[in-house]
Amino acid sequence: MPAPNRPMPVDMLCFAVYSAAHAFNRAYRPLLARHGLTYPQYLVLLLLWADDGQTVSELGAPLFLDSGTLTPLLRRLESAGHIRRERDREDERQVRIRLTGRGRALEAELADVPAAIGCAVGMPAAELRELTGRIRELGRTLRATAGSEMDGDGDGA
Amino acid sequence: MPAPNRPMPVDMLCFAVYSAAHAFNRAYRPLLARHGLTYPQYLVLLLLWADDGQTVSELGAPLFLDSGTLTPLLRRLESAGHIRRERDREDERQVRIRLTGRGRALEAELADVPAAIGCAVGMPAAELRELTGRIRELGRTLRATAGSEMDGDGDGA
DNA sequence: CCTAATTAAATTGCGCGCAATACATCTAAT
DNA sequence: ATTAGATGTATTGCGCGCAATTTAATTAGG
């Protein structure tokens, strides 16, 4: 009889993605910790530096995060003095997130972070773009399939 | 003067990996939740099905997880009746993790999970292997660079 | 108008993931 | 044997991430 041929984490696409995500988190941690930031907080700041005054939902959409995650995260950014949160005058349901001077100043202080991470990745720009595109496409496919019950006969990623 | 040319999450490799990891988690969730399992718990069970009686450290090594994460996770698997935890007679520092009958039975009950995920990924086997290998290599590179201070001039992944 | 349905945030509860620390056991060196 | 160091787990504290629920504000319908 043939061996069970079980999928092992080390061989699985899902696990490669899972552990690479943790590896990125660990790479960012020392760079961001000296400013008291976490990686998800840094992502939110990137969005705000590009477009200040977004609502919680507008920030959550590109990050695929909801208010359950963002509300406490934003509260921490607020108590650290990086942002302010104010109800929208036009629609009081919404909360607009605005950078403080301190929050804006962080952009310059963290300007070298992308280069440091790029160095840690150690990949030519072209390959980096190509790999990023393939993983983004993977995410899109997974999100598209999610919710619909699955019982096909794929390869066990 | 040129635009600031800020890195945006949507364009970054780290974010593609981050959001793909969450997408996998969401894809696994409904498949595992009916058995009361989480994705990391499923990874541990995969290792145990292949080799029962491993120590906490032996389980943690391939997953890049330490006892701070595994101890409570294993306690939950134990109270769910899937595993037993017993101190090693030879070396009482170590804790050996052994499947119960219930834990072993889960392997058959979850046999269709890999296929369901493979279907959600929707990728030819050859491409799947190639992409898995590239992301694993990315993780290896990041872990190798982690710890050493970085201040090069990469591309901002 | 006034209600019903919708929408935006916030809240609650739980399970990671990890740094830092504590504790027990084992090993080595004297 | 005693002690010092190393090793394996456990504990504590904090910040996500997400499902489920709640609250408040807006919109739509009658």
Side-chain angles (χ1 to χ4, degrees):
Chain A
M1 71 183 217
N5 199 6
R6 309 165 214 261
M8 288 299 286
V10 77
D11 300 318
M12 295 156 62
L13 175 58
C14 60
F15 177 73
V17 170
Y18 163 90
S19 58
H22 292 328
F24 264 122
N25 204 339
R26 284 190 285 267
Y28 272 102
R29 187 179 302 271
L31 301 173
L32 299 176
R34 54 173 130 259
H35 299 276
L37 295 175
T38 65
Y39 176 65
Q41 289 170 12
Y42 175 67
L43 292 179
V44 167
L45 288 176
L46 286 175
L47 293 175
L48 289 173
W49 291 331
D51 184 10
D52 197 6
Q54 295 184 70
T55 67
V56 174
S57 296
E58 286 168 348
L59 291 170
L63 303 177
F64 308 105
L65 295 176
D66 66 355
S67 71
T69 299
L70 285 176
T71 294
L73 183 156
L74 292 168
R75 213 169 31 209
R76 283 184 282 271
L77 281 180
E78 182 178 40
S79 57
H82 300 314
I83 63 167
R84 291 193 322 266
R85 306 160 71 232
E86 40 198 41
R87 291 274 163 189
D88 189 315
R89 289 281 182 279
E90 313 263 319
D91 185 343
E92 297 247 337
R93 291 173 303 183
Q94 300 184 123
V95 170
R96 300 233 161 243
I97 309 300
R98 293 190 206 288
L99 290 162
T100 62
R102 187 153 165 40
R104 264 187 299 275
L106 272 180
E107 185 179 12
E109 297 174 28
L110 294 172
D112 57 339
V113 166
I117 294 297
C119 176
V121 168
M123 191 179 291
E127 185 184 351
L128 192 150
R129 269 195 308 277
E130 195 257 341
L131 184 56
T132 302
R134 297 206 16 213
I135 299 174
R136 276 201 344 206
E137 177 59 30
L138 170 65
R140 269 194 295 271
T141 304
L142 284 168
R143 280 185 293 272
T145 319
S148 59
E149 275 326 284
M150 308 171 287
D151 63 335
D153 64 335
D155 294 284
Chain B
M1 66 183 220
N5 200 7
R6 310 166 214 261
M8 289 299 286
V10 77
D11 299 319
M12 294 155 64
L13 175 59
C14 60
F15 177 72
V17 171
Y18 163 88
S19 59
H22 292 328
F24 264 122
N25 204 339
R26 285 190 283 270
Y28 272 101
R29 187 179 299 273
L31 301 173
L32 300 176
R34 52 172 132 260
H35 300 276
L37 294 174
T38 65
Y39 176 65
Q41 290 170 11
Y42 175 66
L43 292 178
V44 167
L45 288 176
L46 285 175
L47 293 175
L48 289 172
W49 291 330
D51 183 10
D52 198 5
Q54 296 183 69
T55 68
V56 173
S57 297
E58 286 168 348
L59 291 170
L63 302 177
F64 309 106
L65 296 176
D66 66 356
S67 71
T69 298
L70 285 177
T71 294
L73 184 154
L74 293 168
R75 214 169 29 210
R76 282 184 282 271
L77 281 180
E78 182 178 41
S79 57
H82 300 315
I83 63 167
R84 291 193 320 266
R85 306 160 71 232
E86 39 197 43
R87 290 273 162 190
D88 189 315
R89 289 278 184 280
E90 312 264 319
D91 185 344
E92 297 246 339
R93 291 172 303 182
Q94 300 184 126
V95 171
R96 300 235 162 242
I97 309 300
R98 294 190 205 287
L99 290 163
T100 61
R102 187 153 165 38
R104 264 187 299 275
L106 271 180
E107 186 179 11
E109 297 174 28
L110 293 172
D112 56 339
V113 167
I117 294 297
C119 176
V121 168
M123 193 180 288
E127 185 183 351
L128 192 151
R129 269 195 308 275
E130 195 254 338
L131 185 56
T132 302
R134 305 234 334 241
I135 299 174
R136 276 202 344 209
E137 178 59 31
L138 170 64
R140 269 194 297 270
T141 305
L142 283 168
R143 280 185 293 271
T145 318
S148 60
E149 276 323 286
M150 308 170 287
D151 64 335
D153 64 335
D155 293 284

